């Protein structure tokens, strides 16, 4: 019973869902926006009336790592007790395919920003690009972008930047690049495949590669193809599959991919004090 209301079959099924699954995030909306839409869909299907802001307490759901609004691809979602497992997703490895553009720099380091610099790039060869990639493989130091979801005094840097406040660059921090390869080079465009650890910004990588080549570069497109064991091809549910039954089916399949398949008993004994990384 939820607040003295007897739940219907589909609502009961919705509130019993627990674990991790993956959805496809299209280009455009924020990761939090995608999650809110998913939540609305599920609650509507279950016939649960949500009065305004109450909906957040009704259904426990969170994601395992923000994907920029301009980016597309795999977004890992935790539901029910699965929200406690999201922390490991944030730290885990991820794979991306990125398209970079040589000769232009923007303030956001991607195509959504204002162009801040233009430089010639015709001297750059495919060989130059491949050589430079070796410098960015392994354990490296990276300065995160100014326009990012990282926070200062509880506010996102991107929010502060948009308000026109002066934001100091965050210091460089250690990140890991497991593999980095050039998939295609058609100047001014180049396509990279990147596998990296937590806290890594592909936008910064593209920008740094441009500088290293004595020109500049900005990210045109980004797709996350894998996060933890979840891949875009096999596991990401597109919007038409955002139903209680499809998610229940997906949870069964996805939970079997996780190491040591934690039993629900094990989930319950996790430290109750730990909070999941959830969305605004």
């Amino acid at each position: 019973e939820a607040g003295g209301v007897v739940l219907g079959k589909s609502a009961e099924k919705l509130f019993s869902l627990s674990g991790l699954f993956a959805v496809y995030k299209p280009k455009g909306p924020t990761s939090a926006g995608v999650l809110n839409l998913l939540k609305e869909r599920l609650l509507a299907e279950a016939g649960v009336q949500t009065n305004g802001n109450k909906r957040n307490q009704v259904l426990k759901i969170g994601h395992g790592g923000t994907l920029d609004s301009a980016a597309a691809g795999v977004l890992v979602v935790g539901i029910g007790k699965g929200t406690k497992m999201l922390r490991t997703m944030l730290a885990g490895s991820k794979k991306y395919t990125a398209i970079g553009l040589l000769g232009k720099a923007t303030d956001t380091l991607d195509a959504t920003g204002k162009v801040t610099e233009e430089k010639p790039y015709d001297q750059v060869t495919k060989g130059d690009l491949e050589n430079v990639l070796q410098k960015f493989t392994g354990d490296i130091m990276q300065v995160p972008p100014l326009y990012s979801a990282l926070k200062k005094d509880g506010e996102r840097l991107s929010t502060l930047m948009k308000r026109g406040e002066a934001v100091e660059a965050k210091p460089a921090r250690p990140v890991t690049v497991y593999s980095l390869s050039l998939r295609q080079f058609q100047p001014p465009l180049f396509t990279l495949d990147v596998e990296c650890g937590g806290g890594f910004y592909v936008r910064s990588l593209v920008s740094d590669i441009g500088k290293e080549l004595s020109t500049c570069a900005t990210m045109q497109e980004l797709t996350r193809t894998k996060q933890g064991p979840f891949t875009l091809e096999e596991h990401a549910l597109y919007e038409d599959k955002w139903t209680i039954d499809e998610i229940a089916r997906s949870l069964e399949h996805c939970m079997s991919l996780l190491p040591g398949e934690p039993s629900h008993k094990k989930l319950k004994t996790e430290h109750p004090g730990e909070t999941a990384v959830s969305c605004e």
Side-chain angles (χ1 to χ4, degrees):
E1 290 198 4
V5 185
V6 179
L7 297 174
K9 271 272 174 286
S10 54
E12 234 166 71
K13 185 166 185 179
L14 173 60
F15 292 117
S16 70
L17 297 178
S18 189
L20 297 179
F21 64 102
V23 296
Y24 173 76
K25 180 201 155 321
K27 250 165 119 168
T30 63
S31 296
V34 169
L35 220 61
N36 285 333
L37 183 62
L38 173 68
K39 209 184 237 185
E40 272 165 30
R41 281 283 172 84
L42 295 174
L43 290 170
E45 186 193 340
V48 177
Q49 292 297 310
T50 55
N51 34 358
N53 223 2
K54 275 273 179 63
R55 67 169 184 207
N56 290 330
Q57 291 102 38
V58 181
L59 185 62
K60 264 181 88 171
I61 204 163
H63 69 69
T66 305
L67 204 47
D68 288 334
S69 15
V74 177
L75 188 66
V76 175
V77 177
I79 190 164
K81 295 196 179 68
T83 52
K84 290 203 170 68
M85 305 160 76
L86 289 170
R87 194 166 281 200
T88 54
M89 281 295 129
L90 285 164
S93 92
K94 304 159 183 72
K95 280 187 183 172
Y96 296 91
T97 299
I99 300 176
L101 173 77
L102 289 170
K104 272 188 187 164
T106 67
D107 55 359
T108 58
L109 312 188
D110 67 13
T112 66
K114 288 197 286 285
V115 176
T116 52
E117 196 180 12
E118 298 199 43
K119 278 184 162 180
Y121 59 86
D122 18 353
Q123 72 284 2
V124 177
T125 67
K126 189 179 180 186
D128 292 338
L129 198 44
E130 283 173 332
N131 286 339
V132 157
L133 294 188
Q134 289 166 23
K135 291 190 182 180
F136 293 99
T137 306
D139 294 322
I140 61 168
M141 295 299 284
Q142 185 186 66
V143 177
L146 283 178
Y147 280 89
S148 73
L150 296 178
K151 296 189 173 168
K152 180 196 170 197
D153 305 330
E155 281 208 89
R156 281 174 185 244
L157 293 185
S158 49
T159 311
L160 295 169
M161 292 286 290
K162 283 171 192 158
R163 274 216 301 267
E165 293 188 28
V167 173
E168 260 175 64
K170 291 257 180 185
R173 52 190 196 172
V175 289
T176 305
V177 178
Y178 298 107
S179 67
L180 178 57
S181 58
L182 183 64
R183 181 188 279 206
Q184 213 179 14
F185 183 50
Q186 291 179 299
L189 298 174
F190 59 96
T191 305
L192 302 173
D193 282 323
V194 190
E195 185 173 4
C196 55
F200 185 83
Y201 280 91
V202 184
R203 285 184 280 154
S204 293
L205 170 72
V206 169
S207 167
D208 292 344
I209 285 170
K211 288 177 191 149
E212 197 65 42
L213 291 165
S214 308
T215 175
C216 50
T218 189
M219 195 173 72
Q220 290 299 101
E221 274 191 39
L222 182 67
T223 307
R224 182 153 66 196
T225 54
K226 189 168 192 242
Q227 184 175 4
F230 306 110
T231 67
L232 185 54
E233 286 84 30
E234 285 183 77
H235 311 111
L237 296 178
Y238 284 76
E239 223 186 298
D240 59 333
K241 295 239 162 54
W242 291 0
T243 65
I244 296 169
D245 286 345
E246 286 287 352
I247 288 169
R249 201 170 309 149
S250 185
L251 280 167
E252 271 182 45
H253 176 51
C254 289
M255 293 308 281
S256 67
L257 303 169
L258 296 169
E261 232 184 306
S263 64
H264 290 296
K265 237 193 345 253
K266 197 158 139 204
L267 273 178
K268 278 189 183 130
T269 55
E270 270 187 41
H271 317 298
E274 261 192 81
T275 50
V277 180
S278 198
C279 293
E280 281 72 272

